[in-house]
Amino acid sequence: MKLKLALLILVSALVAAACSPSAPQGPTPDVVAIRTSAAKTVVAEITLTAAASTATASATLTETPPTETPALETPLVVDGTIASGTAVLCDHLAFDPATVDVNIPDNSEMTPGQEFVKTWKIKNDGGCAWGAGYALVFSYGTRMSGQPQPLVGVVSIGQEVEVSVNFKAPSEPDEYLSAWQLANDKGIPFPKVVFVKIVVK
């Protein structure tokens, strides 16, 4: 009797355990959705990394100025007008080394304190006409009391003109050089210089 009662309790316990609800389970994960989400995350991180690298490279390129100024072409001037498509500075001059010195050639002899006028022939090969306010300015060497003479009238693109400076030779015997640049009406000098070189005896 005791055996039947124990067996009945055991069977009842097993039935009760079998019928009782188990621990709640969540929805079955979708493996494909998980893989897609992971792939999108990787792609997004690669894109952000590439964008950051490009931005850094761009910032580096724009922060570093070029070490050389690009060469400018000599403008093609037709009837005083520069042809389109040629790069040219607004204020620029040129000269022929054989004819730039109108007078007082290099190494001319002067007496101490002698006054003289040096004249150069230059050409406007820039992109702007020269007018009021354009003048020669001292650049380097010995000034020799140099006083530039003003430009006469407007110098058009492609036109040649003579420019002069009044000088006074130093009192000490020696060789002297005085270099000058043409400057625009804002006082900005042109790239090229003209000079006089004398020997005081």
Side-chain angles (χ1 to χ4, degrees):
M1 181 74 165
K2 287 184 181 181
L3 184 57
K4 286 184 182 180
L5 182 60
L7 190 56
L8 182 62
I9 293 173
L10 181 60
V11 171
S12 297
L14 287 174
V15 171
C19 293
S20 66
S22 60
Q25 295 182 357
T28 304
D30 186 352
V31 176
V32 175
I34 291 172
R35 288 181 181 166
T36 302
S37 177
K40 286 181 181 177
T41 302
V42 170
V43 169
E45 287 183 13
I46 291 171
T47 303
L48 288 174
T49 303
S53 298
T54 304
T56 303
S58 298
T60 303
L61 289 176
T62 55
E63 290 171 3
T64 306
T67 55
E68 294 182 9
T69 304
L72 298 177
E73 300 174 15
T74 302
L76 175 61
V77 179
V78 180
D79 296 327
T81 305
I82 294 180
S84 62
T86 56
V88 63
L89 292 174
C90 176
D91 292 322
H92 198 266
L93 66 85
F95 52 78
D96 180 349
T99 60
V100 64
D101 294 314
V102 175
N103 64 355
I104 318 290
D106 288 349
N107 300 314
S108 292
E109 292 185 5
M110 300 282 174
T111 58
Q114 180 179 342
E115 294 183 359
F116 63 98
V117 177
K118 170 68 181 186
T119 302
W120 299 272
K121 183 188 286 185
I122 59 176
K123 180 179 180 179
N124 180 353
D125 74 340
C128 302
W130 306 340
Y134 281 68
L136 286 172
V137 294
F138 177 68
S139 182
Y140 63 87
T142 305
R143 188 174 181 108
M144 295 190 283
S145 303
Q147 293 297 320
Q149 296 179 2
L151 287 178
V152 179
V154 175
V155 181
S156 303
I157 298 167
Q159 181 181 348
E160 285 187 325
V161 65
E162 291 184 359
V163 292
S164 301
V165 176
N166 299 328
F167 288 105
K168 183 177 182 180
S171 57
E172 295 296 322
D174 205 345
E175 293 183 356
Y176 295 93
L177 182 140
S178 187
W180 295 71
Q181 292 172 278
L182 190 65
N184 65 19
D185 55 353
K186 296 177 180 63
I188 301 170
F190 291 26
K192 290 188 177 180
V193 299
V194 291
F195 63 87
V196 60
K197 185 178 178 185
I198 63 167
V199 179
V200 177
K201 290 192 172 184

